[in-house]
Amino acid sequence: MHIINNISDSIFGELWERFKKPWCTSFTIHFFFYTVFIGGLGVFASLFQFINNKGDSWFITENVITYSLALAIPTIVPILLSFNDTKNKSSLAQVSPIVCIVLPILLTFFSYYYKISWPAFICIVISWIVWVISQYDNRCLNDKTFGEDIEANSRNKHGKSWNN
């Protein structure tokens, strides 16, 4: 039981909590429709070309690599901007660059160097997980908090200087 408490208090427990937190209807729609589907259109296009015998299977892997790197590497900024909200600051500073930058680049290297696809697909799953963790506190992707922000702004800011 002592080990379980240590894991929940560790950076991995904290990241797991961040991963679980944002899931609501608006966040889920945004993630699956915009991030996975629209963001992955290049991957789907190369998949359809392969199915229609107009492309090589390696094109799918190249597009997966490009998509996953484009998704994973920019996520380090929101994660590091949440540094003050983190209990495990030293661990976050060490884990974030490894997971957001080093690991995707290593997986890309293995895919290209050995001409194998599985590292690219691992990279895309890691990229999705890291994207969710980076957006855990995005108030615009949560119906409740977004509505609260609009209401607060309308009460406190909207029309404030109209009488002057």
Side-chain angles (χ1 to χ4, degrees):
M1 190 68 177
H2 182 66
I3 293 173
I4 294 173
N5 289 339
N6 288 341
I7 291 173
S8 65
D9 291 336
S10 73
I11 187 64
F12 302 109
E14 191 170 352
L15 292 175
W16 175 245
E17 289 303 315
R18 285 185 180 195
F19 181 79
K20 293 188 318 186
K21 180 182 177 186
W23 296 100
C24 64
T25 304
S26 57
F27 184 87
T28 304
I29 290 169
H30 181 85
F31 176 71
F32 285 108
F33 184 72
Y34 295 106
T35 305
V36 174
F37 181 72
I38 301 293
L41 280 177
V43 175
F44 295 122
S46 62
L47 181 63
F48 290 130
Q49 284 181 333
F50 176 73
I51 290 170
N52 294 323
N53 296 322
K54 295 181 181 176
D56 187 1
S57 65
W58 182 248
F59 295 154
I60 299 168
T61 302
E62 287 179 325
N63 286 333
V64 166
I65 289 168
T66 303
Y67 168 62
S68 61
L69 287 175
L71 193 60
I73 292 175
T75 59
I76 195 165
V77 173
I79 288 174
L80 291 178
L81 287 175
S82 68
F83 190 74
N84 290 336
D85 300 334
T86 305
K87 292 185 290 185
N88 302 286
K89 291 176 180 21
S90 179
S91 296
L92 181 71
Q94 294 173 44
V95 169
S96 297
I98 291 170
V99 174
C100 297
I101 297 173
V102 175
L103 186 59
I105 290 173
L106 283 174
L107 290 170
T108 299
F109 171 76
F110 284 122
S111 280
Y112 274 111
Y113 187 76
Y114 295 109
K115 293 289 186 196
I116 52 178
S117 297
W118 64 265
F121 288 95
I122 290 172
C123 189
I124 203 167
V125 171
I126 290 169
S127 298
W128 288 334
I129 292 169
V130 169
W131 186 87
V132 170
I133 290 169
S134 74
Q135 298 297 316
Y136 86 101
D137 64 347
N138 188 337
R139 295 178 64 82
C140 294
L141 296 178
N142 185 315
D143 289 328
K144 183 180 178 194
T145 58
F146 187 70
E148 290 169 357
D149 289 349
I150 290 174
E151 189 176 310
N153 284 337
S154 67
R155 259 188 272 121
N156 300 331
K157 295 179 183 175
H158 183 72
K160 197 171 193 174
S161 63
W162 289 355
N163 293 332
N164 296 335

